[in-house]
Amino acid sequence: MSNIKLNLTNTGISMDKILEYKSEVKEIDRVLRKEPNDEKDFRGWLELPTNYDKEEFDRIKKAAKKIQEDSEVFVCIGIGGSYLGARAVIEALNNSFYSYKKQSTPLVLYAGNNISPVYLNDLIDLIGDRDFSINVISKSGTTTEPAIAFRIFREILENKYGVEEARNRIYVTTDKARGALKELSNEEGYETFVVPDNVGGRYSVLTAVGLLPIAVAGVDINELMQGAKDAQDKYADSDLKYNECYQYAVARNILNKNLKDIEILVNYEPKMHYFIEWWKQLYGESEGKMAKGIFPAGVDFTTDLHSMGQYIQEGKRNLFETVINIEETSSDITIKEDGDNLDGLNYLSGKTMGYVNKKAMEATIEAHVTGGVPNVVINMDKLDARSLGHLIYFFELACAMSGNILGVNPFNQPGVEEYKKNMFRLLEKPGY
Ligand code: PA5
């Protein structure tokens, strides 16, 4: 069983204050969980840990096995919600230097997440003559960045393997019926996976969008889903008193009312860097609208204590932090006694780096709280697939609750289209 514990001690918010939101939370929970009006209701992610396409889940595992057998590299082509979840999980659960290590599973690399020709040329260069397959992921099937990358990689695959074999190395994750990518897949006979209608991009990591690349990288997707199910069960109680996920949502709204309009998600484990990137999109795109929202930022500590630490300690007091504390480190190093002690470090001899990291965390929380930066702490037992599944679901559900408390629709993203219209006009796309 995975578990997560919320600690609001260092926020200055009492439980009584949190519980003032009890009836509001109950009502939002009721609306959130009521039968959807139509399939575009975007609440499908709520049920995903139990209500998913089992046949497709098996097909994902089969495809992952085939890719593991015939490819050294797997290029995951997508942007925003169509790649961040996969990258978050893969980087969190793999060796920190897995891209430099010889390994038994394909190296997952990312394309279509920017329009830099330099990036794409470097990626093509890195793949070199290694065997590879690709997964293009786009719910709309029309997003410019992945569409360009897909066109380029399709040609490379066809030149390398011939059209027939290239077909066996192209996996498409898109809408079940619509969009250019779906039409192309039908035409070419690519293996396709579905982004469900009722799951928006940023809530889609537990669908084929995230699961195929995650499985290719060798992560146990059953465990990931099991962790999400642990969370689904744990946070099913709409009573705020017993629901820590909703308490987090309420706490951040109280902090926001107290003029804290930037939330910094903090990790002390650099492998969680992309998890924070995933979280930033989830919260930024869900809440930043109608001139409202808490700006989601992120830092990797202790690294960023030496760059952002000054600002957080003494800059504008509109910040709060949410610290992800992983209780048990997956490996450790003991600092040895040194006869000369020229570096003066013998006071640490016999202690582990994990212990020192924890003390750095405690010291930082104390300093920042004293400096006027409230700290929420989210404790997770360890960093494994099951715990990560739990944490993903925790943040998704909290986001839906928090957006509703804030008074915005957490499931749309009208602003994302604005830059595209201008870009298409400048690129002279027909119709713009
Ligand atoms: O969360 C979202 O909706 C966005 O980040 C999308 O995932 C992103 O824009 C990519 O869209 P698509 O999957 O349609 O290519």
Side-chain angles (χ1 to χ4, degrees), residues 78-84 137-144 146 173 195 200-204 281 285 413 416-417 420:
I79 195 163
S82 287
Y83 100 105
L84 279 168
I137 308 162
S138 177
K139 183 174 166 108
S140 63
T142 55
T143 306
T144 313
T173 309
V195 191
R202 58 190 174 275
Y203 292 85
S204 69
Q281 185 202 354
E285 219 166 71
Q413 57 282 332
V416 178
E417 296 307 310
K420 292 184 192 168

Side-chain angles (χ1 to χ4, degrees), residues 294-325:
I294 301 169
F295 184 85
V299 286
D300 303 324
F301 283 168
T302 61
T303 309
D304 293 335
L305 282 172
H306 299 260
S307 56
M308 297 301 292
Q310 171 60 35
Y311 191 101
I312 297 171
Q313 188 67 47
E314 294 185 338
K316 199 169 171 194
R317 301 297 72 192
N318 59 347
L319 318 167
F320 69 97
E321 289 175 307
T322 297
V323 178
I324 299 175
N325 173 35

